[in-house]
Amino acid sequence: MTYIAKPKLHHPSLVKNKAGYTRRDYEGAVSTLCAGCGHDSISAAIIQACYELDILPHQVAKLSGIGCSSKAPTYFVGASHGFNTVHGRMPSVMTGANLANKDLIYMGVSGDGDSASIGLGQFAHVMRRGVNMTYIVMNNGVYGLTKGQFSATADKGSISKKGVANSDESIDMVSLAILMGATFVGRSFSGDKHQLVPLIKAAMAHKGAAFLDVISPCVAFNNHAGSTKSYDYVREHNEALNRIDFIEGREEITASYEPGTVTTVQQHDGSLLRLRKLGEEYDPSDKIAAMQRVQEGLAAGEVVTGLLYLDAAPKDLHSNLNTVDVPLNRLKTADLCPGSATLDRINAGLR
Amino acid sequence: MPQAIAAVNDFVVKFANVNGSGSASANELFARSILRMGVPVSPRNIFPSNIQGLPTWYEVRVTEKGYLGRRGGVDMMVAMNPQTWGEDVREIEPGGYLFYDSTKPMPSSMFREDINVIGVPLTAVTNATYSDARQRQLFKNIIYVGALSVLLDIDPEEIKRLFGEQFKGKEKLLDSNVKALNLGRDWATQHLDVGAVKLKVRRADNVGKRIFVEGNNAAALGAVYGGATVCAWYPITPSSSLAEAFMAHCKRLRHDKATGKAKYAIVQAEDELASIGMVIGAAWNGARAFTSTSGPGISLMTEFIGLASFAEVPAVIVNVQRGGPSTGMPTRTQQSDLLSCAYASNGDTKHVLLFPEDPKECFDFTAEALDLADRLQTPVFVMTDLDIGMNHRLCHPFEWDDKRDLDRGKVMTAEELQAGKNFGRYLDVDGDGIPYRTYPGTHPTKGSYFTRGTTKDEYARYSEEGAVYVRNMERLQKKFMTAARIAPQPVRYSSPKATRHGVIYFGSTSPAMAEALDHLEEGGNHVNALRVRAFPFAQSVEDFIHEHDKVFIVEQNRDAQLRTMILSEFTLDARKLIPVLHYDGTPITARFIAADIAKKLAQLKVVPFEKAAS
């Protein structure tokens, strides 16, 4: 991070994307997180993804709960509306926002305290409702704002900065998301932008509940020997199942990978995911196999990363509710109010 | 026979039944048939919190004068539940009537000497005709309605017409119900001394154009007319039927004709926290949204209500109050959530409350609440209760002005932003404390901001500076004062004679109060009355108190919550405000109000000892 305010003037030579924006246009305020915080790397990846996707910045709605991670939306896509809600309850606010206007791009940012402890219930339900969103948990296994308590994703046996061992089982957010019905589930590492950026892009193009668990070490309270969410630990134990390339549907497809190493998955909107297999043969469309692979990784002490599960043709909350194509917040009095003649008929039926 | 109560179009019949026996529709049929004869009725469900097998009561007040509150006392008890026999028999007024199933003869010790007993062998009559167990259970209820129609002179043609409407297209059901009705009528005609029963219904013309509807149904319709597109709710008695009615109304009225698609979204949330969260998210994003709940739901929503208030996001919450605290009395009525709603959440928070008196105002105020929430950018509570919400009440027909446009309040458009209009999310441009907002996605470069529950400056930037915080809190207070001006104003009723005594009341107490005022007047106790319809209170509430020496405040809670709020909002001598409190979970009665005020007035008139001696 930097404490120096960013200049408002852009250099005229900055490259613009198809929407006419430079990468700088997707940035937000200067981060106030600790220098070296993984969350800032994730914010940078979101900025990169939005820029590469050519989205209109003001079409993003970014919502968060409470905690270090939930401060992050301030630091990306500054031209969009943001909503810091209350602890653990961002999912319901995002659900409501999505109901009101299906046309915006919803980015939910949360932390492991926010989503795995107080907000576990809302996390589960937002996934099972199929809210069209990208939900990112910036997962560091620790409470940063209150200075170093374990969160519910801290591994059993891991050691806190004060030297205390965690005696509780940890909650694996990707397993939970798959189980709850998320239709796009991935995990990545804040220090691996080559994997993270295409994952975020693919999640944003996904027309359903997309979840990304991003291990994001806390440099202040959880980046020491004994922590299983430190930079060193994650780098040593990261097993990437796949690296994905994301290609929007409108682009020409050019495959440049060696035969037999690439799988292409088309999402509902026509965008393509090319999965480059690094590990063993892995099919992300098989929900049961995905669960098994994630659990095997957990048992082996591996952080399995990549696109873990994908339903390429999901149904979202609006399609389940069969709502009109016009966003509900644009309906006018004439669309909504049945008028006095109808009311007279209703009155007549109540005598 | 003891002396019998004689009354035409002015008596109370109470049915004591077993929950799950199918009596509810028969009892409602009884009430509606009287209504169809042009005689106002006011029925009330009285039921404990259980699923099946336990006692349930249905009390019908027949009232030609149109008094729709509970009167108190029972003139005829239809005692169909052996479990509650003792208390049911005790409740009958001296000279009243006990109607019971005499299939098994009862010893005279089971009756009272000062009441009239009417035995009909309902089980025997039913069993002689029907062999199927469920039919026996259901038709027994229709048979007693038949017998009662003979005793009370209810026109059987009205009952048959009601059957015709209920079973339109289902001729078999229609025929079998008419048959059961006639079974009861024939038995009563042949075996009972009809003239000995001196409670009678006579055709009148006192119903007019009025409608007969439950408050929850009315509030749901108000939400449709008020333009609500998002409803997020979680089931809780006695509010569940509100969301269910909204669903039913939307199915009929809110589907796009060409595509069949829904112009609304209803989500049954996982809990009350999520339901209010969804409402806030939807309203933040420019949709009209509401939730319905009851007291314990409000407790759960409190954190979010604070957020909506401080972040200035509209939200409409219909609170169908029940007996508290905690789980309290889930199926009984109270007005005991005033304080917990008015000041919900931590810190200095105050919220707008509306108090409808009947289903008509449930309709009006729910639609109005959606406007007010948008105009004020804050949560607005519609404070109904079980008594209005779940009981059919006779009220004026719903009205709607087709020229009325949904008032979305101060929303800055892309064009206005483009034209360079100064936008500060929390700037008080107009001096009424209400700032302008933008919906997400409005403009590519202007008008975006961060919404948060933490303190901020006029441009929505996080700021903990003391002066900035104080400025914001002062503006919120100013906005609250604006609410006092634009919310529904109090309604005043003046005594025909000049008086120094007043009474303040609100919400579902209204019909009992109207009757109590008549009783007080008849007894020579003159009082002026003021019905409060909203919090924050209008200035006229304080003026009314200043105009009187003593003001009674009638409430259905233990702690005189409205009185507390009045004392907290105005500078007053607390001794002027005399509480009149009823909170046993049953709706307040005219008898209770009139007696309590008369007693307290008598105490006020006592001449002090020293003064008398001098």
Side-chain angles (χ1 to χ4, degrees), chain A residues 97 106 329 333 336 339-340 351, chain B residues 209 225 254 262 285 402 405 451:
Chain A
Y106 292 90
N329 71 349
T333 306
L336 301 174
S340 62
R351 294 195 173 107
Chain B
K209 288 275 178 200
Y225 273 77
R254 279 276 195 81
N285 214 0
D402 287 328
D405 204 4
T451 304

Side-chain angles (χ1 to χ4, degrees), chain B residues 215-217 219-220 238-247 290 292 318 320 384:
Chain B
N216 282 352
N217 189 353
S239 76
S240 301
S241 63
L242 200 163
E244 284 163 352
F246 182 71
M247 218 178 292
F290 81 101
S292 56
V318 185
V320 189
T384 79

Side-chain angles (χ1 to χ4, degrees), chain B residues 425-447:
Chain B
R425 172 64 183 100
Y426 299 110
L427 265 182
D428 186 7
V429 182
D430 303 321
D432 55 3
I434 306 171
Y436 283 78
R437 64 174 179 144
T438 55
Y439 297 152
T442 298
H443 191 281
T445 54
K446 300 164 192 254

Side-chain angles (χ1 to χ4, degrees), chain A residues 58 81-82 84 89 92-93 96-97 106 122 129 322 324-325 329 333 335-337 339-340 343 347 350-351, chain B residues 36 209 212 225 254 261-263 268 270 273-274 278 281-282 285-286 398 400 402 405-406 438 441 448-449 451:
Chain A
H58 71 295
H81 277 63
N84 257 142
R89 325 247 186 255
S92 63
V93 179
Y106 292 90
Q122 294 216 341
R129 289 200 177 94
N322 191 33
V324 285
D325 297 334
N329 71 349
T333 306
D335 299 307
L336 301 174
C337 189
S340 62
L343 199 55
N347 281 326
L350 294 170
R351 294 195 173 107
Chain B
R36 289 294 177 96
K209 288 275 178 200
F212 192 58
Y225 273 77
R254 279 276 195 81
K261 290 190 172 185
K263 290 188 271 188
Q268 185 184 319
E270 58 268 32
L273 292 84
M278 288 178 202
N285 214 0
F398 303 132
W400 192 260
D402 287 328
D405 204 4
L406 307 178
T438 55
S448 72
Y449 64 94
T451 304

